[in-house]
Each structure stands twice: as C-alpha cells, then as structure tokens.
Amino acid sequence: MTWLVTGGAGYIGAHVVRALHQDGAQVVVLDDLSTGHRSRVEAGVPLEDGTVLDGPFVRRVLADHQVSGVVHIAAKKQVGESMADPLLYYRENVSGLVALLDACRSEGVERFVFSSSAATYGLPDVELVDEDTPGVPLSPYGESKLVGEWLLRDCAAAYTMRVISLRYFNVAGAAGPELGDPGVFNLIPLVFQALSEGRRPRVFGGDYPTPDGTCIRDYVHVADIADAHLAAARALESGSPSETYNIGRGEGSSVLDVLRVVGDVIGKQVEYDVVDRRPGDPARVVAAVDRIRKGLGFEARRDLPDMVGSAWAGWQARPA
Ligand code: WQD
C-alpha cells in the first residue's frame, strides 16, 4: 500500500511522513512548498511539487505512485488570517479538498485520513470535549475544517470510501531540532520569539474562570499526532469503518503552566505581562480521548516538558 501525504513537507506533515515511512509504509509527498520545505521530506520519499487544486496533476501523482490511501494535511491553518481572508481559506481548504476527492474517485483511491481541528468546536462549554460536542466554529478556518468533515462523511456514505477525521488539539514540540514549527503563530513559539527579542511574553487574559485565571488548552506533542495518523492509516488498511477522533492528551495546561515549563527548560523564570483577553478565546478546551483509545488503541505518550523542550531545541536550530 502506498500513502500519499499532502502537506508532507510542512511542520505536522513531515512528522506524519516520518512515522509512516519508519513503520515500513510506502509514502509519497504532495506539497506546493508554500509553507513547507523539501528539506523536511525524509530521504527516500518522493516529493511531488504542486497543489491539490490541480486535478490533472493530482490524478497523475495518484496513478504514477499507485496510491491507495491519502493522508490530507495540506491546508491553511491560521485563525486570524482566516478572519481577514475567508475566501482564501474556503478555496484552499474546501475547494482543495473537493479537487482532491474528485481525483481520488477517478483513480479508485478509497482510504482517506483527514487533518481536522479542535477549532471545529468553537466555544465548547464542557470539562472534556468529546467528539459528539456540537461544532460551532468561530472562524473561517474552523468552518473550513467542519465543512471538510461533512463532505467526507457524505462521500463515505455515497461512495465506497472510508474516512478517518482527526481533530488536532494544540500541537507543539518536534521530533528533532530540524523539524521544529517554522510558524510563529501559537503560544509556545510566540513566547520564544518574545524572549529572543528581549520582550516579556503577553498573557491574553488573567481573569478567566480557571484555577490561575488563564486559559487552559490540551497541548499534544506533534510526534503523538504523527503516531495517531499512523494508527488511523493502519486501521483503514485493515478494514476499519469511518470515524472521527480527537487527538489530545485529555488533560489541560494553563498559559501560566506553559510559561513555568518554559522557565524550567531555559533555566530562568519567565517574567510576563497579563494583557486584555483575546476575543474568541474559550477559557478551557480539553479533549476527551476515550474514543481514539478504544477505536485505535492510541494514547498520547509525551508530556508538556517534552513538548516545550523539543520546541526550544527547534527554535534554537532555526535558520538566522
Ligand atoms: C493558546 C492559548 C491564547 C499567545 C489553536 C488554533 C489552531 C488549532 C487549535 C489546529 C490561548 C494564549 C497565545 C500569546 C497567550 N489547532 N496565548 N499569549 O487559540 O488555542 O487555538 O490551536 O488546528 O491551531 O485554533 O492556540 O496557541 O493561539 O493560544 O496568552 O502570545 O495561549 O489566549 O489561550 P488556540 P494559541
């Protein structure tokens, strides 16, 4: 079986490619290198440089490499950018998925793992967010992921396709310094950037209804995310039915918890400023992880120090 990983030259995609390849799977990468980099693609894994929006190109790739399953990670993923340019997000994330699915149907590809997001939930007002929690996304990014799930659910019902959608919670860390997150859009890289520039990191809100007043999130190591994709791919190979799973640790960490671990990692306490809340931030978003444990036998193995320590090593290894 050969798996096509779209976005396989990117931060998360490169980790998924590594997990599949090291488990003995045949893998090929499709990436337009808009944010990914060919240096992240493991030696021995072919890279096809192009966009999922190009149907004839995708069909050629599927046929040339005799692809029988797709892990679709290529997407735009910045919440703020999606608010400013929703059409870009619907074109890349939804029209891109439609074009990819058209090519899959033409070439008889019937196994599909989809990169979805906790952003599909919006403001879940529950202690633990399970997969039946209503999805009320707050951004075009979150909407594009929820629409993608609906589209895949309908395809699985109408055609002989089987789909596993994976809702990532807050992804962090790196399997090696060369695979660090190149984007500076999420909490941990933003803290590193502030510290590197001699600024105090900003905590968005200190008056939330949480133990220390700061937002709680379910941080999950990108290597665990990759392991979950491997488990999903193997499950589809062995005939698993379609399903939707959260990927998280099932436990929450506050912003101050993260800053404390950053201090432990860099060897000095982090001084920070508490500023106004960021609009749209829920106080707590923590995954229920029973379904993926029962369905795929998957549990996240890395903890917050693993994430922050490996992210710091990746930050230090960034090109100047
Ligand atoms: C985390 C917490 C901020 C920066 C993201 C995206 C998306 C999705 C889920 C995959 C929040 C606080 C942040 C800062 C801060 N994952 N913060 N100071 O908003 O939980 O959601 O993960 O699709 O990537 O939706 O992640 O890293 O922006 O913020 O206090 O300088 O850190 O308020 O509570 P978020 P984030």
Side-chain angles (χ1 to χ4, degrees):
M1 257 210 69
T2 297
W3 285 89
L4 173 74
V5 181
T6 71
Y11 165 52
I12 295 174
H15 284 89
V16 171
V17 169
R18 175 183 277 220
L20 285 165
H21 194 228
Q22 291 183 357
D23 194 59
Q26 292 294 314
V27 190
V28 55
V29 169
L30 185 157
D31 199 301
D32 66 5
L33 302 178
S34 56
T35 56
H37 199 281
R38 60 180 68 247
S39 65
R40 288 174 177 263
V41 180
E42 278 217 305
V45 175
L47 167 62
E48 296 276 6
D49 176 357
T51 169
V52 292
L53 284 157
D54 179 349
F57 164 71
V58 177
R59 283 198 303 276
R60 199 265 304 152
V61 169
L62 295 176
D64 283 0
H65 297 276
Q66 298 177 302
V67 169
S68 44
V70 171
V71 179
H72 182 41
I73 299 175
K76 307 294 283 181
K77 65 163 194 167
Q78 293 171 42
V79 171
E81 182 184 51
S82 79
M83 306 293 276
D85 193 351
L87 202 52
L88 171 65
Y89 274 68
Y90 273 88
R91 182 184 318 114
E92 291 291 327
N93 295 3
V94 179
S95 302
L97 176 58
V98 171
L100 178 60
L101 287 169
D102 272 334
C104 286
R105 283 206 69 215
S106 303
E107 300 299 325
V109 177
E110 298 180 343
R111 298 175 178 89
F112 207 93
V113 179
F114 177 59
S115 164
S116 189
S117 168
T120 55
Y121 292 113
L123 292 170
D125 187 15
V126 288
E127 184 74 6
L128 288 178
V129 184
D130 70 27
E131 290 86 349
D132 296 325
T133 302
V136 188
L138 297 175
S139 67
Y141 165 71
E143 291 167 354
S144 75
K145 288 298 182 180
L146 188 57
V147 168
E149 289 187 21
W150 293 340
L151 175 54
L152 287 160
R153 178 199 61 198
D154 295 343
C155 288
Y159 315 128
T160 54
M161 273 186 77
R162 285 178 293 110
V163 176
I164 290 180
S165 291
L166 298 173
R167 293 176 179 163
Y168 306 173
F169 278 65
N170 289 60
V171 186
E178 73 288 357
L179 293 175
D181 183 356
V184 188
F185 305 108
N186 293 109
L187 174 63
I188 292 171
L190 284 168
V191 170
F192 293 158
Q193 183 183 61
L195 295 174
S196 303
E197 294 173 359
R199 291 183 287 108
R200 290 152 65 107
R202 297 180 303 156
V203 175
F204 296 152
D207 59 350
Y208 283 95
T210 62
D212 66 14
T214 67
C215 290
I216 292 173
R217 294 291 183 271
D218 187 334
Y219 297 92
V220 54
H221 199 293
V222 64
D224 281 322
I225 294 278
D227 290 345
H229 284 71
L230 175 60
R234 292 310 193 199
L236 289 175
E237 284 175 353
S238 55
S240 164
S242 297
E243 190 51 276
T244 298
Y245 296 110
N246 288 337
I247 316 181
R249 288 191 301 137
E251 55 186 79
S253 305
S254 72
V255 177
L256 296 189
D257 289 334
V258 172
L259 293 182
R260 195 172 303 116
V261 172
V262 170
D264 295 343
V265 164
I266 67 175
K268 73 175 182 198
Q269 190 172 344
V270 173
E271 302 295 316
Y272 57 87
D273 292 325
V274 178
V275 300
D276 290 343
R277 291 184 175 191
R278 182 174 67 174
D281 269 342
R284 178 185 165 92
V285 185
V286 177
V289 292
D290 305 318
R291 187 186 287 186
I292 196 169
R293 184 175 60 246
K294 292 181 186 126
L296 298 182
F298 168 83
E299 282 189 87
R301 295 187 289 116
R302 288 99 174 164
D303 61 15
L304 195 58
D306 293 331
M307 285 177 244
V308 174
S310 60
W312 179 241
W315 179 265
Q316 291 177 300
R318 284 159 67 90

